[in-house]
Amino acid sequence: MLLKEGAIRFPVVSNEVFPFPTRRDSPVIDQVGVEERAQRFCARSLKKETKVTALKLAVTMLDVTTLEGADSVGKVRQMCQKAMRPLPGDPSVGPAAAVCVYPRMVGTAVKAVQGSPVQVAAVATQFPSGQMRLKERLDEVRYAVGEGADEIDMVISRGQFLQGEYRAIYDEVAACKEACGKAHLKVILETGELTTYDNVRYASDMAMAAGADFIKTSTGKVPIAATLPVTLVMLQAIEDFYERTGRMVGMKPAGGISNAKLALQYLVMVREVLGAKWLTNQWFRFGASSLTNDLLMQIRKQETGRYQSGDYFTQD
Amino acid sequence: MSANDFLSGGFAPAPESADHFEIKKSYDLFIGGKWVKTAKRFETTNPATGEVLSEVGLAGKKEVNQAVKAARRAYDGVWSKMSGAERGKYLFRIARLLQERAREFAVVETMDGGKPIRESRDVDVPLAAAHFFYHAGWADKLAYAFPGCEVAPIGVVGQVIPWNFPLLMAAWKIAPALACGNTVVLKPAETTPLTALKLAELFEDAGLPAGVVNIITGAGETGQALVEHPDVDKVAFTGSTAVGKTIRRAVAGTGKRFTLELGGKAANIVFEDAPINEAVEGIVNGIFFNQGHVCCAGSRLFVQESVADKVIKKLQKRMELLVVGNPLDKNTDIGAINSAEQLARIKALVKIGQEEGACMWQPSGGVPRKGNWFKPTLFTECAQSQRIVQEEIFGPVLAIQTFRTPQEAIAKANNTQYGLSGGVWTDKGSKIFKVTTALKAGVVWANTFNKFDPTSPFGGYKESGIGREGGLHGLSAYCQLIH
Amino acid sequence: MSNLSIPKTYKLFIGGKFPRTESGRILEIRGAKGAFLANASRASRKDFRNAVVVSRKAAGAWAKSTAYLKGQILYRIAEVLAGRSSQFEAELTAQGSSNAEADVAGAIALLVHYAGWSDKYQALFSSVNPVASPHFNFSVPEPTGVVSTVAPADGSLTGLVSVMAPVLVGGNSQVILTSGKILSAISFAEVLATSDVPAGVVNILTGMRDELVPEFAKHMDVNALLLCSDDDAEKKAVELEAAENLKRVSLQADKALSPSPYHILDFQEIKTTWHPVGV
């Protein structure tokens, strides 16, 4: 597939795969401890220029998302416009990192963002449940890539994970990675269904070993989506993986990040766990649909000193 | 990129505002419900800036005597006769007033003592209020606390508290004393008198009968006069083991009751199967909380050899993130060292550590020019025989040793004259109980560290003190049990 | 055939054995009418030191033994003592006791009483603390360690048992100083030695109070001290010495202690344990 003009490409897609890790290879997680640690990031106070920098950074990390049965060509096109120019008239804000759509909408999205750095991500592998044979799930990945998707957001088979068939998870991630070709692979763990931090940590370690370029918390389709502590567990997994292998893996919390304050807490956490190196949209994304406008309102508030109204920001 | 740019790792200043209340230019002693002037006075300063905050009265023998007399009068005349339920209501009132003025107390605590506002705001002040609230409820229920005993108050209690948790220690001491029907003369530390004096203002607002609590400020001599006063029935002290022993001798043969909360050199033991990231956070919380000015600080780290490199590397990475600086800034993790004397002591012991062959490491960041500061510090290659391993440094300095077996860890952990607290990190439940049972310490944190609660008894084995504070067990320190 | 009696040699009781004092000194014990009864050992500070060493060695295992076993052993002491009560009555009477029968019965009653506390005082003095954070938090009593015990000066068996039993049932080891009717104290050691009390858990020295009490208070490897005394100067001196390692000191009147679980509590440390509650 040809590169879209002007698109920022990931330097090299790493196809390196590491051996299947056993559960004992993953450190145990203490729930209370990790939740306390996550709370501590919330005590950080961002003011003035630090806050503006972080807010603007957050906009560039958005995977602006629509994943509805009602998604239409018109809806996707409008969303792509917003992703490219979040704050019309202020080129210092945005563009967003990507748009995230179902495979059928990839073609529409690719056309709509052409010439901009905005990437097109597609959810695949029988999103959100993953309850289908691997063959068809891989076919879906190939279809989305064929339509021009730059990134594939796959789901793992949580049922199999919970019944102890860990090897199957490792194998499906590796197979998806292969099916992605040059497209980037984000692996959705659906942490709300894995239920324990120990499971999240092990699934993260497995996904990374099998070749994930990103690990992602949630589909947004189950009640419990991204939280600070679950993201912290995944960031720590990324940190340890990087220490061990030298390979950077990206992180995408998705679902439930609905306001700017929370987004900034995530960024503080990324900075303190992984360092500033990870603070680009190459390595960190927000999967969100309603976060964009709150970020924009906060940026405007910092500039003007006035609290803002929704009437002044486009609804898409 | 500016220094405060998010990407370069810094934060723009985020100071807590200090303009919504007043620190008076001078404070007198609070005796018998009145503010009593003294001839001699001394200044209290902000250790982060050196700026003088206020001037307070220096209580001599005369004022100590006056305060004990006021407490005796209040005991005989009012407090010992009042029903438990009524006493409880005063304590509830105090708890509420403290909650209402929480932010003011937090800011004053930080300015006078140097601790980060995040801690005074989130730990010290809420816990202080919680202590009053908890003990308020006990006041009319003491008959249920000690099966088979008749319970009576002791009388006048003399209390001497330290500078590391000025308000919280005042609450730890005053709340149970009052709940059990005693009256109090309290002396805060000379470097941190302000929140105790503000607490006196709050007692006035609460309408607490005159003389039930008396606050006198001064240094060691004032404390000594209070401890030695013949009409004091009980002495409660928190501070160094050396002073604790002096007080123990002073009360010998007098029949005075006493409780002592003294020094510590806690072992924090990390096993290879520990939740490693949480353990690192626990180590940080254990030794760098309140600049390490904590008697129960986890100042000795024992880490199993198989994970030592990993733990130390993670610990160093975490320490790089600790923000040292203006205690009033909401992002500050490590504030100012409480006094120039304490800073000198920390520096001296750290120098000795280096001379004795331990390997020192500090993070790369700087510290402000003015004021008393010490960077978070760790020592590797430590041995039991080194002074930094044996002596309480009372600063942000961690001594790390490795071990091979649980038996070795336990033996080394207990190889100290202290016994206040300890920590254990492992995922294996049976190992937790094995180790927590074997540690000769009054408080043991398993897979956590430096947690406090008014319902939870606190106090040490061996030379870390005598008696408990908090919880059911803490009550017995302020009651006569007749059995 | 000779009918000459075989008098007993009264020695010390240290580490489950009956050694003579290392000092070679004796205390001549005479009966009410001045008749010679026996030469008892006059313990020295070195004997005390040796007793503390064996006490320390014995402390760990005794503390860890089950509450059930401790109760069994205390009851066993009562049984063995009851079986030999006539001997004790005679011996106490010979030393001048006017109520030997009541004294022995009182001692047996105390042993039975404290035997029953062995697995109950922990529940009485423990707590689960409802902390305001996701932690399980509990406080339990643990034995203080090695205790110096100075028995009431009258030397009654009841007095001796009244101080020994609460310290013992609480899982501590101890070195007891007896004065007064010391022959029966040593005979009581024989009871202990045949009652499955592990060697070194209880050690009994006979000697001079003014010589040994200061040593009891001074020793740095003693964690607590129980002193029955009505002598203010003695009490103050003990407290001053105890300050050096912050020994726990329980000062009691110079008579038998009435039974109470709070005497057990005097030789317990409260340990509070925290653990997070999570999955």
Side-chain angles (χ1 to χ4, degrees):
Chain A
M1 199 190 83
L2 289 174
L3 285 183
K4 290 190 299 270
E5 206 162 329
I8 303 165
R9 269 302 177 182
F10 293 97
V12 185
V13 174
S14 166
N15 287 315
E16 203 177 350
V17 171
F18 296 88
F20 172 68
T22 68
R23 269 208 95 121
R24 288 182 67 97
D25 294 328
S26 297
V28 292
I29 312 283
D30 182 74
Q31 183 195 340
V32 173
V34 84
E35 289 175 0
E36 257 174 36
R37 176 72 183 114
Q39 198 54 42
R40 178 98 183 247
F41 295 113
C42 303
R44 291 292 194 211
S45 176
L46 303 190
K47 298 279 181 206
K48 300 189 178 125
E49 60 270 34
T50 314
K51 189 169 187 179
V52 175
T53 313
L55 287 167
K56 287 188 173 173
L57 184 63
V59 174
T60 69
M61 290 170 160
L62 288 165
D63 277 7
V64 182
T65 303
T66 184
L67 295 168
E68 301 297 335
D71 287 348
S72 63
V73 170
K75 158 83 186 171
V76 169
R77 277 190 191 145
Q78 290 184 39
M79 190 183 78
C80 290
Q81 290 298 314
K82 177 86 168 186
M84 290 187 288
R85 280 176 297 279
L87 204 54
D90 187 350
S92 80
V93 177
V99 292
C100 183
V101 295
Y102 271 118
R104 251 168 59 113
M105 290 295 151
V106 168
T108 304
V110 167
K111 256 186 235 157
V113 300
Q114 196 144 31
S116 83
V118 175
Q119 307 277 298
V120 175
V123 296
T125 70
Q126 289 294 306
F127 181 94
S129 74
Q131 294 283 21
M132 186 56 179
R133 289 194 306 182
L134 186 56
K135 179 178 170 296
E136 283 77 10
R137 296 169 69 207
L138 294 173
D139 285 345
E140 194 187 353
V141 170
R142 288 188 201 98
Y143 165 72
V145 172
E147 289 290 291
D150 305 290
E151 304 171 357
I152 297 297
D153 289 22
M154 73 168 285
V155 291
I156 63 165
S157 302
R158 286 87 71 190
Q160 277 185 294
F161 184 97
L162 293 172
Q163 66 199 36
E165 294 167 28
Y166 305 127
R167 174 71 79 162
I169 309 301
Y170 176 80
D171 288 344
E172 74 182 10
V173 173
C176 277
K177 175 70 182 169
E178 203 180 354
C180 279
K182 283 182 177 162
H184 257 70
L185 177 64
K186 303 199 196 95
V187 179
I188 303 173
L189 307 180
E190 196 67 301
T191 54
E193 290 186 344
L194 295 182
T195 68
T196 69
Y197 294 119
D198 287 321
N199 281 348
V200 170
R201 171 69 200 226
Y202 181 43
S204 302
D205 289 345
M206 235 182 347
M208 291 187 293
D213 297 299
F214 263 74
I215 50 177
K216 175 176 169 184
T217 59
S218 320
T219 61
K221 302 293 183 192
V222 303
I224 302 169
T227 63
L228 280 163
V230 88
T231 305
L232 174 57
V233 168
M234 293 168 76
L235 292 173
Q236 287 168 343
I238 291 169
E239 180 196 14
D240 289 343
F241 188 72
Y242 177 64
E243 286 289 329
R244 200 159 54 83
T245 67
R247 190 173 150 234
M248 288 173 77
V249 173
M251 174 71 210
K252 178 177 172 183
I257 307 159
S258 54
N259 64 63
K261 187 177 175 188
L262 189 51
L264 296 193
Q265 287 164 351
Y266 276 89
L267 291 185
V268 166
M269 190 162 75
V270 173
R271 197 185 74 174
E272 300 208 6
V273 178
L274 294 174
K277 210 162 138 184
W278 258 265
L279 282 180
T280 75
N281 61 12
Q282 190 183 330
W283 302 113
F284 189 78
R285 299 282 180 82
F286 289 109
S289 43
S290 59
L291 174 60
T292 317
N293 271 6
D294 197 49
L295 288 171
L296 301 175
M297 285 165 76
Q298 294 305 319
I299 290 169
R300 190 53 66 75
K301 188 255 154 185
Q302 287 297 309
E303 286 165 0
T304 64
R306 288 175 194 277
Y307 292 107
Q308 298 294 307
S309 153
D311 288 353
Y312 299 85
F313 298 85
T314 59
Q315 306 272 336
D316 303 277
Chain B
M1 230 186 286
S2 87
N4 293 320
D5 194 285
F6 187 67
L7 289 170
S8 66
F11 292 100
E16 180 65 48
S17 83
D19 58 5
H20 48 91
F21 61 88
E22 182 202 17
I23 296 178
K24 288 185 207 150
K25 285 228 167 64
S26 90
Y27 286 89
D28 298 316
L29 310 179
F30 185 66
I31 297 175
K34 297 203 167 62
W35 293 93
V36 175
K37 289 205 182 307
T38 54
K40 286 188 187 165
R41 313 183 62 75
F42 64 100
E43 288 173 341
T44 183
T45 57
N46 181 337
T49 62
E51 157 206 15
V52 174
L53 293 171
S54 185
E55 199 186 65
V56 301
L58 177 64
K61 278 204 169 138
K62 186 182 109 191
E63 288 83 7
V64 169
N65 190 36
Q66 226 178 319
V68 172
K69 273 196 175 143
R72 173 63 61 193
R73 259 198 313 277
Y75 179 77
D76 291 338
V78 186
W79 203 246
S80 66
K81 292 179 181 156
M82 194 183 285
S83 73
E86 290 299 300
R87 289 200 309 270
K89 284 189 210 165
Y90 280 108
L91 288 169
F92 279 124
R93 267 194 201 179
I94 293 163
R96 275 288 187 255
L97 288 170
L98 189 53
Q99 286 170 333
E100 285 158 17
R101 285 170 63 177
R103 192 57 57 88
E104 169 187 349
F105 273 84
V107 174
V108 174
E109 194 76 319
T110 285
M111 291 173 79
D112 203 19
K115 65 172 62 201
I117 185 73
R118 186 180 60 77
E119 292 177 4
S120 52
R121 181 195 65 203
D122 297 347
V123 182
D124 294 59
V125 178
L127 263 182
H131 268 272
F132 281 107
F133 203 88
Y134 172 76
H135 285 100
W138 267 125
D140 60 348
K141 301 169 191 71
L142 296 170
Y144 301 94
F146 306 101
C149 282
E150 260 183 73
V151 181
I154 295 171
V156 173
V157 183
Q159 303 177 324
V160 178
I161 58 170
W163 45 260
N164 57 344
F165 296 94
L167 177 70
L168 182 57
M169 288 301 111
W172 277 37
K173 297 270 185 282
I174 294 171
L178 298 194
C180 296
N182 307 283
T183 57
V184 166
V185 180
L186 176 120
K187 187 200 85 70
E190 68 268 32
T191 61
T192 54
L194 290 183
T195 43
L197 292 163
K198 285 233 163 233
L199 196 57
E201 294 179 345
L202 203 143
F203 294 150
E204 288 186 300
D205 294 346
L208 191 69
V212 171
V213 179
N214 306 275
I215 311 274
I216 53 171
T217 45
E221 283 174 20
T222 311
Q224 191 186 347
L226 177 58
V227 167
E228 291 175 357
H229 194 288
D231 203 30
V232 164
D233 300 304
K234 187 225 156 85
V235 173
F237 171 75
T238 296
S240 72
T241 292
V243 175
K245 288 182 183 178
T246 307
I247 290 175
R248 176 66 187 95
R249 288 187 197 99
V251 299
T254 64
K256 284 179 193 168
R257 288 153 191 273
F258 61 93
T259 38
L260 304 171
E261 299 285 356
L262 309 175
K265 192 76 187 177
N268 201 359
I269 305 172
V270 178
F271 287 99
E272 60 189 357
D273 59 352
I276 220 87
N277 288 303
E278 289 74 56
V280 168
E281 197 58 23
I283 295 163
V284 167
N285 197 27
I287 184 63
F288 302 125
F289 176 58
N290 199 28
Q291 297 74 246
H293 300 328
V294 184
C295 45
C296 55
S299 50
R300 291 183 296 153
L301 174 64
F302 290 94
V303 54
Q304 198 154 13
E305 275 184 12
S306 52
V307 291
D309 289 347
K310 198 200 273 184
V311 168
I312 292 166
K313 198 171 171 190
K314 278 178 179 281
L315 185 58
Q316 289 174 331
K317 201 174 159 193
R318 178 71 179 90
M319 286 167 68
E320 285 286 359
L321 298 168
L322 294 171
V323 179
V324 184
N326 179 10
L328 272 180
D329 193 298
K330 293 172 205 163
N331 289 315
T332 292
D333 295 307
I334 298 189
I337 301 301
N338 183 265
S339 66
E341 292 73 24
Q342 187 57 26
L343 181 61
R345 177 174 159 75
I346 295 168
K347 283 182 173 165
L349 272 161
V350 163
K351 187 157 170 279
I352 288 166
Q354 290 171 292
E355 286 163 4
E356 288 184 343
C359 181
M360 190 185 84
W361 182 90
Q362 290 179 323
S364 52
V367 298
R369 279 199 184 159
K370 249 172 60 178
N372 308 323
W373 308 96
F374 201 81
K375 280 208 243 180
T377 301
L378 64 78
F379 277 99
T380 50
E381 316 283 323
C382 293
Q384 285 290 99
S385 57
Q386 290 166 350
R387 283 180 65 189
I388 51 167
V389 171
Q390 291 298 324
E391 293 181 28
E392 185 176 40
I393 299 173
F394 225 62
V397 182
L398 178 67
I400 305 178
Q401 291 173 272
T402 58
F403 68 92
R404 295 156 298 173
T405 65
Q407 289 73 14
E408 183 186 356
I410 291 165
K412 284 183 173 168
N414 284 336
N415 179 212
T416 163
Q417 76 259 40
Y418 295 114
L420 188 50
S421 67
V424 185
W425 297 83
T426 166
D427 196 42
K428 189 173 177 184
S430 52
K431 185 155 45 174
I432 288 173
F433 285 115
K434 181 83 183 172
V435 179
T436 56
T437 309
L439 286 178
K440 298 279 180 213
V443 183
V444 184
W445 289 289
N447 291 326
T448 185
F449 211 96
N450 267 350
K451 293 274 178 265
F452 310 94
D453 194 277
T455 67
S456 178
F458 183 93
Y461 286 30
K462 301 200 275 187
E463 292 194 16
S464 286
I466 296 181
R468 295 293 176 271
E469 289 185 311
L472 176 63
H473 299 85
L475 292 176
S476 63
Y478 288 101
C479 294
Q480 292 190 60
L481 304 184
I482 301 144
H483 58 90
Chain C
M1 268 180 61
S2 164
N3 280 328
L4 194 64
S5 67
I6 305 172
K8 185 157 79 183
T9 310
Y10 289 88
K11 296 186 284 189
L12 306 176
F13 182 53
I14 300 174
K17 296 193 171 66
F18 291 89
R20 286 201 171 83
T21 168
E22 61 78 38
S23 67
R25 301 174 305 176
I26 55 153
L27 294 164
E28 203 181 271
I29 309 297
R30 293 192 174 267
K33 289 172 190 160
F36 174 79
L37 290 178
N39 288 320
S41 282
R42 182 180 156 191
S44 67
R45 53 185 275 183
K46 274 192 182 166
D47 293 319
F48 172 64
R49 181 199 64 186
N50 295 341
V52 171
V53 170
V54 296
S55 274
R56 177 60 65 196
K57 276 207 188 105
W62 179 243
K64 278 191 201 121
S65 68
T66 64
Y68 185 55
L69 179 69
K70 290 190 192 93
Q72 296 273 306
I73 288 176
L74 263 93
Y75 188 74
R76 175 79 183 150
I77 303 171
E79 284 177 342
V80 175
L81 179 58
R84 290 172 57 173
S85 40
S86 54
Q87 177 203 340
F88 277 92
E89 284 158 21
E91 201 173 49
L92 286 161
T93 306
Q95 291 172 89
S97 170
S98 56
N99 60 348
E101 207 170 316
D103 189 14
V104 175
I108 293 167
L110 278 172
L111 286 163
V112 173
H113 176 81
Y114 280 108
W117 273 122
S118 76
D119 48 10
K120 296 165 193 72
Y121 73 86
Q122 298 86 343
L124 202 62
F125 300 133
S126 295
S127 60
V128 171
N129 312 309
V131 295
S133 59
H135 294 91
F136 186 64
N137 184 268
F138 60 95
S139 300
V140 292
E142 284 187 350
T144 302
V146 174
V147 181
S148 294
T149 311
V150 181
D154 71 358
S156 70
L157 199 57
T158 306
L160 174 62
V161 169
S162 78
V163 293
M164 179 207 74
V167 174
L168 177 65
V169 77
N172 303 284
S173 62
Q174 60 188 318
V175 183
I176 304 175
L177 175 63
T178 61
S179 40
K181 302 173 188 66
I182 57 180
L183 298 188
S184 23
I186 293 304
S187 294
F188 183 67
E190 294 164 5
V191 169
L192 295 174
T194 52
S195 303
D196 300 329
V197 178
V201 169
V202 180
N203 305 278
I204 299 180
L205 305 181
T206 52
M208 309 297 284
R209 268 176 87 120
D210 51 357
E211 180 186 355
L212 285 172
V213 167
E215 303 298 329
F216 272 47
K218 267 159 89 169
H219 200 296
M220 295 295 279
D221 202 30
V222 169
N223 302 102
L225 182 141
L226 167 55
L227 174 67
C228 293
S229 173
D230 294 330
D231 177 348
D232 288 344
E234 183 183 44
K235 286 193 275 192
K236 182 173 180 178
V238 157
E239 287 194 90
L240 285 171
E241 289 295 354
E244 203 53 43
N245 71 337
L246 293 176
K247 271 181 204 68
R248 283 68 175 129
V249 177
S250 171
L251 297 177
Q252 302 289 344
D254 194 8
K255 59 178 189 194
L257 270 55
S258 52
S260 165
Y262 290 90
H263 293 313
I264 306 175
L265 187 60
D266 284 344
F267 301 94
Q268 301 289 309
E269 289 289 336
I270 301 299
K271 176 183 279 178
T272 298
T273 306
W274 292 71
H275 196 280
V277 178
V279 292

